[in-house]
Amino acid sequence: QVQLVESGGGLVQPGGSLNLSCAASGSISSSYAMGWYRQAPGKQRKLVARITYGGRTNYADSVKGRFTISRDNGKNTVYLQMNSLKPEDTAVYYCNAASNIFDYWGQGTQVTVSS
């Protein structure tokens, strides 16, 4: 069983930055990719960024060039550095760890971009 705990959300002005962290309580093997998803009110949860154990990444088009995902396999932690934030980035951000068999989610952290 793996538990994921996110931190780092909050309120930020447009153009600002936030760094989200997600720590896994169990051992994340090389079979797991980790990612960040977000869900705005009244909308579906969507992928923001994803990273494999080996470091291969992919991003939603809306965040390319602004967000950077990284992971520290020794610490079982994944990060999301968010720069040049926009009001449309406002959402609950969820951490995910997924393999071919298992799919784990964190409880979510609120990110609000507003002046």
Side-chain angles (χ1 to χ4, degrees):
Q1 184 74 14
V2 173
Q3 290 187 325
L4 304 175
V5 179
E6 302 105 332
S7 60
L11 173 64
V12 64
Q13 292 186 342
S17 298
L18 282 175
N19 189 29
L20 305 183
S21 298
C22 171
S25 64
S27 179
I28 301 294
S29 73
S30 59
S31 63
Y32 282 87
M34 297 190 76
W36 290 94
Y37 291 70
R38 67 186 181 188
Q39 187 168 19
K43 295 188 176 181
Q44 289 186 330
R45 189 175 300 185
K46 293 184 177 180
L47 175 69
V48 175
R50 182 176 176 272
I51 185 168
T52 66
Y53 191 87
R56 185 180 303 174
T57 60
N58 63 287
Y59 296 90
D61 288 342
S62 59
V63 306
K64 284 180 180 177
R66 299 189 297 123
F67 291 10
T68 302
I69 190 171
S70 61
R71 67 189 284 175
D72 185 331
N73 293 327
K75 295 182 178 180
N76 289 333
T77 301
V78 64
Y79 306 95
L80 185 67
Q81 177 65 43
M82 305 186 293
N83 298 326
S84 302
L85 282 160
K86 304 175 181 180
E88 51 264 44
D89 294 317
T90 295
V92 178
Y93 283 70
Y94 295 91
C95 179
N96 173 262
S99 69
N100 290 337
I101 301 173
F102 299 106
D103 195 17
Y104 298 104
W105 292 92
Q107 81 287 352
T109 185
Q110 177 70 46
V111 171
T112 302
V113 185
S114 175
S115 56

